[in-house]
Amino acid sequence: MKVTGPSGPSQAPGPRAARAGGSFSVPSARTAAGASATTSASAPSAVTDVSALMALQGVEDATERRRRAIRRGGGLLDRLEELKLALLMGEAGEGALDRLTRTLREERPVDADEALNNLLDQIDLRAAVELAKADLRRSAA
């Protein structure tokens, strides 16, 4: 059978001789029905396998949550340091305030470790205080 383009398959002209090394045979209707039944039975398991993999990718383990919480806390401390340096140099620190605001608005993962959660609460509070102080400076000016 030869495919000639969008018009579909067409039969190649003339009979072809079978190769000496092996031959191709078309399965009978009974064999084809059994193969399609096998295919249809295995298709849902393939879908199940893919959905299970997708579910596993969506599940976040405790280690990853802890890592994200620590990374967020470290980012807030970095933004607070930027703001401190900007204020010490006599600048308004608007860019540092914007970055601090964005970092503070990021979702904070909750960790099972109570000490880590308390530390992150203190960092969040310090960032919120600095933002409130900046708002007071803006409104006073």
Side-chain angles (χ1 to χ4, degrees):
M1 189 179 265
K2 182 177 178 183
V3 177
T4 59
S7 62
S10 66
Q11 197 64 289
R16 296 185 114 175
R19 291 185 182 179
S23 66
F24 175 78
S25 64
V26 178
S28 67
R30 182 177 176 198
T31 307
S36 66
T38 304
T39 304
S40 65
S42 65
S45 77
V47 171
T48 305
D49 293 342
V50 171
S51 63
L53 286 174
M54 295 294 284
L56 282 175
Q57 287 178 347
V59 173
E60 185 177 61
D61 64 345
T63 306
E64 182 61 28
R65 271 194 311 273
R66 182 179 181 87
R67 187 176 299 129
R68 279 186 40 229
I70 292 171
R71 188 178 318 127
R72 181 182 177 274
L76 277 171
L77 290 174
D78 291 344
R79 303 297 85 78
L80 286 167
E81 184 71 18
E82 287 176 19
L83 180 61
K84 179 181 85 171
L85 292 174
L87 292 174
L88 287 174
M89 293 188 329
E91 299 172 2
E94 293 299 320
L97 284 171
D98 290 340
R99 287 187 293 278
L100 180 63
T101 303
R102 273 182 280 156
T103 306
L104 188 60
R105 287 182 183 161
E106 287 177 3
E107 180 185 351
R108 180 177 142 194
V110 178
D111 192 66
D113 184 8
E114 193 62 34
L116 177 61
N117 285 329
N118 289 335
L119 181 63
L120 293 173
D121 287 341
Q122 292 173 10
I123 294 171
D124 286 355
L125 178 63
R126 184 65 197 169
V129 166
E130 289 301 323
L131 290 173
K133 285 172 35 179
D135 284 342
L136 284 175
R137 284 191 297 265
R138 286 181 195 157
S139 63

